[in-house]
Amino acid sequence: MATAIKKPLTAAQFKKKVLQHLNFTSSQTDYQQDPTAVLRAVCLTVNEVVYEKLTETNQYHKEHKSRSINYLSLEYLMGRMLSNNLHNLDLFDVAQKAVANLGFEIEDIFEEGHDLALGNGGLGRLAACFLDSLATMDFNAVGYGIHYEHGLFKQQFHQGRQIETPDEWREYGNPWEVCRPEAVQNIPLFGHVETIANTDGSVKKVWHSGQTIKGVPWDVPIVGYNSKTVNVLRLWESRASSHFDWEQFNSGDYQDAHSAQNHAETISKVLYPNDETDAGKELRFIQQYFFCACSVKDIIKRYSQQHGNDWSQFADKVAIQLNDTHPTIAILELMRTLIDEYDFAWLDAFAMCRKVFAYTNHTLLPEALEKWSVDLFNKVLPRHLELLFSINEYFLNEEVSKMWPGNDQMRRRLSLIEEGETQMVRMAHLCVVTSFKVNGVAQIHSDLVKSDLFPEFDQLYPEKLTNVTNGVTPRRWLKACNPELSKLLDSKVKVDWAKDLSSLSSVAKFADDEKFQQKFMAIKHNNKIKLAEEILASTGVEVSPDAIFDVQIKRLHEYKRQHLSFMHILALYRRLLADPDYDMHPRVYIFGAKAAPGYYLAKEIIYAINKVADKVNNDDRIKGKLKVVFMPNYRVTLAEKIIPAADVSEQISTAGKEASGTGNMKLALNGAVTIGTLDGANVEIAEEVGDDNIFIFGNTVDDIKALEANGYNPYDYYNNDEEIKACLDWLHTDYFTPGKPGELSAIAHSLLDGGDPYRLLADFADYAKANIALDKAYKDKARWARMAIINTAKMGKFTSDRSIQDYVDNIWKLTPMSSQG
Ligand code: NBG
């Protein structure tokens, strides 16, 4: 199993197959004019290899009755698939040659592909990295999610403001997915519960649903890197169960005949575009239930195919990971199924759930901790609500009251139901109570989950709360996106670093080697030239690859503090205006970020950055020392272009707010040096690279707590720091928005009268100071090269393979294919 896989096709064979697909699948003989047709034919060719391996993988796990991990996530940010699949199958060179023979550059063919953007940000991209690692490490895993018709919106800027347009990723089909009619599920919703008395005095509950939705699965194959495995990502699409009402249609009521179908199909129509916060909408709740119910039914079906009606091994064979609280209803669905459909006793069903589910927490932000009203639950899922109440009763009486006898306050605090004007269900509490493990996503975050978020639960269940630090796949985030650097690393590292990332640490010994430094930095420079071209094409701004490329790419959120960097840009601009010879190496600030469409201040921040960019980029007085670009439509594919070209990685969230971050890992892996706070995984990155190779600044979690205990007042900073005052006052003028004073005031308001909720002003001075140190370090070429090399060399810990191994060892207890014999 572990041996290298032999190339399944030669370039000549590959080309022949592509031509066959062009001829016989697409009937496209005039392909020279049609790179899209070539892309499709190449994908179909790759699929021949992929599906053969998928069949073998399935066969193997069937024979071995392998334990499986079932990853439930409402989001998967897959990006494009072709380049990744070619690398993972070791067919990249073959395909490149074959396509060149047909008269195309492989990169141009890639450009024809759509991103699978079925996610918002970190959480969705993490799920995608985990699927890559699970397949690479030969684990039996299925990802479950929703087949959204529209993924994350496309972003454009109109006079500096964000405009959203729908994402049409599969308008003309998606070559990577296959529909599985044999695995369709029917999902009941609404209705009421009937209580039927049995002759023995017990009762049976029967849920009479008001509507049934059909769940149609689409499978996207997940190809492991240099492994035997192809797993699947199974995405559910909703359809009306009775497809079309012909009777109604024949009676002339055309509109109504359609409406049930439209209503049902709405469920998988669109991804909710909120990153950390939740909309709390009925449709979102139904989305969650729909996909959980389809997935639980599918998991049970797969199990039954091997074990029939013998439930004794279920918990040994099945683990279900909940990616945040979004799929929590899966717990109640399994409870319901076991009790109502398989006659389990309540306690046995509950015990089973507690052996099967594990939950990952991805944020401490209170607004992101999901709550659903009891009324909504009752309307959509009346039977599940009953079960929820029964779990709560058991939990409060048998566990909370035994641990804290007579403590009603504790019962109220821990209850699965929040009492108030409207009763709300606390989904995170249900997760913690019913899961066998709960993990945070970086050490500092997991510590805060224990100490600040769930301290009582940690007392109640001492072994349950744990940490698994996030990671990223080095296949996509180094090998595929940065081919030149990958080749350089290949020349120095004897083993396959893409599968064993810690082996890169051996490169650290070349950190002071002048020749190696030159090669490393020449690659960075080339990548910067390419990005400069992309910047020119997408923003019209010309930037010099000799400048520092300072990158901040992530969702737009106040806690991530893009506006801290923005404030610092204003400060630099002021310094340059006051003294055009102000000593700084030229710097290009590169932003990429989408704001949730309803997030007012986030959109104002985008607007402000764009307006300041217009001014700064066209101001000859500052001699091109400062440039600012906001690249539109940030997404996985754009990240793959920006990251290899970054010199500086901005990771400047308020300490305690960013659970982990994963962009921080990708950037450092590609030789960018971090300027960041002691937050999320930055803390562990600093431990790995050492203090000399990172710029840490700002208040720590404890400092922030102390600041708040003393009564935080942003005006203290405004009144005492001339630069802060000048920059904030500037925003009220029309300097950046001629004729329209005050257009950028919203940021200043939020930082002053709004109380500066993310303590930006408290970190400003130290951030500015760290930037001076950074500027100085960059001017020393050898020193900077050393820092960049060390960053790449020391990222071994942050491969998602290590994260998955941690999950496997501490939570899932799986055995890979290779070790099962
Ligand atoms: C995000 C955190 C990030 C973290 C990713 C992946 C959500 C709700 N949370 O810090 O903000 O890296 O999850 O764990 O998207």
Side-chain angles (χ1 to χ4, degrees):
M1 220 21 63
T3 51
I5 311 298
K6 108 173 184 303
K7 279 201 202 314
L9 290 171
T10 63
Q13 289 166 328
F14 196 99
K15 179 182 164 192
K16 197 168 154 205
K17 280 179 181 290
V18 172
L19 283 171
Q20 272 169 353
H21 280 295
L22 280 165
N23 263 321
F24 304 124
T25 318
S26 312
S27 187
Q28 175 57 284
T29 43
D30 197 13
Y31 64 84
Q32 269 91 353
Q33 307 308 321
D34 194 349
T36 316
V38 176
L39 169 72
R40 203 163 43 232
V42 170
C43 293
L44 292 172
T45 302
V46 174
N47 270 343
E48 289 184 28
V49 183
V50 169
Y51 280 95
E52 192 184 341
K53 288 182 81 165
L54 175 59
T55 308
E56 286 165 10
T57 307
N58 285 339
Q59 201 65 36
Y60 179 93
H61 292 305
K62 218 184 246 170
E63 273 166 28
H64 288 73
K65 298 192 170 168
S66 317
R67 175 171 165 81
S68 68
I69 172 66
N70 300 275
Y71 200 81
L72 265 56
S73 177
L74 226 63
E75 304 193 7
Y76 292 91
L77 259 186
M78 306 300 288
R80 288 179 181 153
M81 308 285 286
L82 178 56
S83 154
N84 193 70
N85 284 350
L86 289 174
H87 277 292
N88 284 12
L89 293 166
D90 199 14
L91 278 175
F92 191 88
D93 299 342
V94 164
Q96 191 172 34
K97 246 189 237 160
V99 167
N101 249 310
L102 294 168
F104 291 92
E105 296 272 342
I106 192 92
E107 281 75 18
D108 295 336
I109 298 299
F110 295 156
E111 286 300 314
E112 297 296 314
H114 284 278
D115 273 39
L116 266 81
L118 310 184
N120 275 290
L123 173 148
R125 184 52 232 175
L126 185 78
C129 284
F130 281 3
L131 293 184
D132 182 84
S133 286
L134 282 160
T136 297
M137 298 162 84
D138 281 325
F139 289 115
N140 183 19
V142 180
Y144 284 105
I146 293 184
H147 191 262
Y148 299 107
E149 188 178 327
H150 303 289
L152 187 59
F153 65 85
K154 275 205 267 185
Q155 178 197 54
Q156 292 167 350
F157 296 135
H158 183 64
Q159 294 176 353
R161 294 211 176 266
Q162 170 176 298
I163 305 289
E164 303 94 24
T165 54
D167 162 52
E168 310 276 7
W169 66 285
R170 60 189 302 282
E171 196 178 7
Y172 307 115
N174 162 25
W176 298 113
E177 61 187 10
V178 51
C179 190
R180 296 288 191 198
E182 69 277 17
V184 162
Q185 296 292 353
N186 286 303
I187 306 303
L189 286 171
F190 304 106
H192 68 279
V193 180
E194 187 189 3
T195 306
I196 299 173
N198 291 328
T199 44
D200 64 0
S202 63
V203 293
K204 172 131 187 102
K205 299 283 192 166
V206 180
W207 176 22
H208 299 285
S209 65
Q211 192 185 354
T212 305
I213 308 284
K214 192 152 83 173
V216 178
W218 292 86
D219 284 359
V220 179
I222 304 295
V223 180
Y225 170 75
N226 197 3
S227 80
K228 282 227 165 154
T229 293
V230 172
N231 285 327
V232 299
L233 168 59
R234 178 159 283 190
L235 300 171
W236 300 99
E237 179 186 294
S238 62
R239 301 236 185 113
S241 53
S242 54
H243 205 61
F244 193 80
D245 192 334
W246 283 104
E247 226 170 278
Q248 212 169 21
F249 181 70
N250 288 334
S251 70
D253 204 345
Y254 180 78
Q255 277 298 329
D256 284 359
H258 256 313
S259 72
Q261 188 182 340
N262 287 343
H263 187 249
E265 291 176 3
T266 303
I267 296 172
S268 60
K269 195 112 208 142
V270 61
L271 164 81
Y272 274 86
N274 284 308
D275 187 30
E276 303 272 344
T277 52
D278 209 79
K281 298 278 182 344
E282 177 171 323
L283 181 62
R284 164 90 173 179
F285 183 65
I286 295 177
Q287 275 190 342
Q288 295 185 345
Y289 176 65
F290 164 74
F291 119 86
C292 288
C294 287
S295 308
V296 167
K297 283 177 196 291
D298 196 62
I299 291 166
I300 292 176
K301 184 175 165 190
R302 282 167 39 221
Y303 175 81
S304 311
Q305 280 166 353
Q306 293 179 8
H307 301 274
N309 216 356
D310 171 14
W311 283 88
S312 65
Q313 293 191 59
F314 190 71
D316 292 334
K317 295 297 175 188
V318 173
I320 303 178
Q321 188 70 31
L322 304 173
N323 198 25
D324 219 323
T325 53
H326 316 150
T328 307
I329 313 174
I331 298 172
L332 298 176
E333 175 64 6
L334 182 61
M335 270 296 267
R336 187 196 66 77
T337 310
L338 295 177
I339 295 173
D340 293 358
E341 293 176 22
Y342 293 94
D343 293 325
F344 267 57
W346 190 95
L347 268 179
D348 294 338
F350 186 54
M352 182 75 96
C353 289
R354 282 186 147 179
K355 285 189 204 149
V356 167
F357 288 99
Y359 152 62
T360 305
N361 173 283
H362 292 270
T363 179
L364 301 170
L365 295 191
E367 63 267 33
L369 293 176
E370 284 188 297
K371 288 175 195 160
W372 295 106
S373 78
V374 166
D375 288 346
L376 178 61
F377 242 103
N378 197 26
K379 178 176 154 198
V380 182
L381 302 173
R383 177 65 182 133
H384 297 74
L385 183 64
E386 285 186 357
L387 289 166
L388 177 94
F389 278 126
S390 67
I391 294 176
N392 200 31
E393 193 181 311
Y394 176 90
F395 163 63
L396 292 176
N397 294 340
E398 298 300 319
E399 299 184 344
V400 178
S401 287
K402 286 196 175 146
M403 179 91 173
W404 294 282
N407 189 340
D408 277 351
Q409 209 189 334
M410 193 62 87
R411 284 175 64 101
R412 252 195 315 280
R413 194 172 325 152
L414 298 189
S415 173
L416 307 187
I417 307 290
E418 183 182 272
E419 301 293 342
E421 215 165 286
T422 39
Q423 280 189 314
M424 304 293 281
V425 180
R426 295 164 166 154
M427 303 305 268
H429 286 208
L430 176 58
C431 281
V432 179
V433 169
T434 322
S435 297
F436 65 93
K437 284 282 178 192
V438 173
N439 74 286
V441 289
Q443 191 60 54
I444 187 175
H445 167 65
S446 299
D447 292 345
L448 289 168
V449 168
K450 275 192 192 184
S451 62
D452 293 18
L453 188 62
F454 300 137
E456 299 88 358
F457 283 116
D458 190 37
Q459 263 178 286
L460 194 57
Y461 311 124
E463 299 294 307
K464 203 181 268 199
L465 274 55
T466 183
N467 173 56
V468 178
T469 297
N470 282 344
V472 301
T473 169
R475 274 73 69 179
R476 182 177 292 264
W477 297 112
L478 180 51
K479 195 173 172 84
C481 75
N482 199 343
E484 284 192 53
L485 181 56
S486 298
K487 267 187 218 129
L488 178 66
L489 297 170
D490 286 344
S491 74
K492 293 290 177 195
V493 183
K494 292 292 156 269
V495 297
D496 185 358
W497 53 264
K499 217 167 176 165
D500 172 13
L501 199 65
S502 54
S503 66
L504 285 189
S505 67
S506 62
V507 171
K509 63 175 176 284
F510 303 110
D512 289 311
D513 175 328
E514 210 175 305
K515 270 215 183 99
F516 188 78
Q517 286 187 346
Q518 272 166 12
K519 282 187 189 157
F520 193 98
M521 294 315 287
I523 290 167
K524 181 63 82 183
H525 193 78
N526 272 343
N527 293 337
K528 287 165 75 174
I529 292 174
K530 280 189 218 144
L531 181 60
E533 285 162 8
E534 190 77 28
I535 289 172
L536 183 61
S538 69
T539 68
V541 179
E542 216 170 302
V543 300
S544 162
D546 294 321
I548 301 173
F549 277 21
D550 184 312
V551 166
Q552 192 167 8
I553 42 174
K554 47 188 78 241
R555 280 300 286 252
L556 214 135
H557 204 294
E558 286 163 271
Y559 86 78
K560 294 180 188 282
R561 299 199 298 193
Q562 280 93 350
H563 51 338
L564 173 55
S565 177
F566 166 77
M567 282 280 291
H568 182 246
I569 290 169
L570 290 180
L572 288 179
Y573 186 38
R574 258 187 98 244
R575 291 179 205 172
L576 285 166
L577 289 179
D579 171 12
D581 294 322
Y582 174 71
D583 180 23
M584 66 174 269
H585 191 90
R587 219 194 276 202
V588 182
Y589 283 89
I590 300 164
F591 291 90
K594 286 178 180 171
Y599 189 169
Y600 168 74
L601 195 65
K603 290 179 123 176
E604 289 299 304
I605 293 170
I606 292 181
Y607 182 63
I609 294 173
N610 276 328
K611 285 291 145 186
V612 168
D614 281 350
K615 184 85 185 172
V616 167
N617 296 340
N618 297 304
D619 190 337
D620 292 339
R621 293 172 295 176
I622 60 172
K623 303 178 189 161
K625 278 190 171 173
L626 189 58
K627 291 267 165 117
V628 181
V629 290
F630 209 126
M631 298 188 76
N633 204 27
Y634 178 62
R635 61 199 185 285
V636 170
T637 296
L638 188 54
E640 287 166 8
K641 295 176 181 166
I642 296 175
I643 288 170
D647 292 309
V648 174
S649 159
E650 298 270 352
Q651 307 300 336
I652 59 178
S653 50
T654 318
K657 299 293 180 196
E658 186 70 89
S660 162
T662 44
N664 45 4
M665 303 166 184
K666 295 164 198 165
L667 283 155
L669 181 61
N670 284 271
V673 178
T674 305
I675 180 164
T677 48
L678 282 176
D679 198 19
N682 297 352
V683 176
E684 289 157 79
I685 291 177
E687 278 165 19
E688 296 300 305
V689 302
D691 294 347
D692 292 349
N693 300 304
I694 190 166
F695 297 94
I696 295 292
F697 72 93
N699 288 287
T700 62
V701 170
D702 289 342
D703 296 339
I704 299 266
K705 283 184 183 164
L707 273 177
E708 289 171 357
N710 295 332
Y712 181 77
N713 182 1
Y715 277 100
D716 293 346
Y717 302 94
Y718 176 80
N719 291 324
N720 295 322
D721 185 324
E722 182 266 334
E723 198 162 48
I724 287 181
K725 182 171 188 308
C727 292
L728 286 176
D729 290 349
W730 216 355
L731 296 175
H732 297 303
T733 71
D734 75 343
Y735 196 83
F736 302 101
T737 52
K740 296 175 183 165
E743 266 211 331
L744 309 185
S745 290
I747 297 175
H749 281 309
S750 126
L751 294 177
L752 292 171
D753 298 328
D756 184 11
Y758 296 99
R759 317 305 182 216
L760 184 154
L761 299 184
D763 276 346
F764 180 83
D766 204 27
Y767 178 58
K769 208 169 114 198
N771 270 292
I772 289 176
L774 186 154
D775 179 76
K776 187 168 165 232
Y778 192 86
K779 286 177 189 142
D780 178 345
K781 283 201 161 144
R783 178 172 168 209
W784 191 268
R786 174 172 213 287
M787 292 177 87
I789 294 165
I790 295 284
N791 268 273
T792 297
K794 300 286 182 162
M795 279 306 106
K797 175 173 178 184
F798 303 104
T799 164
S800 44
D801 298 350
R802 191 270 315 140
S803 308
I804 289 301
Q805 195 62 53
D806 286 355
Y807 277 102
V808 163
D809 293 343
N810 304 328
I811 302 180
W812 303 332
K813 315 281 180 196
L814 299 177
T815 319
M817 214 199 270
S818 46
S819 321
Q820 290 182 33

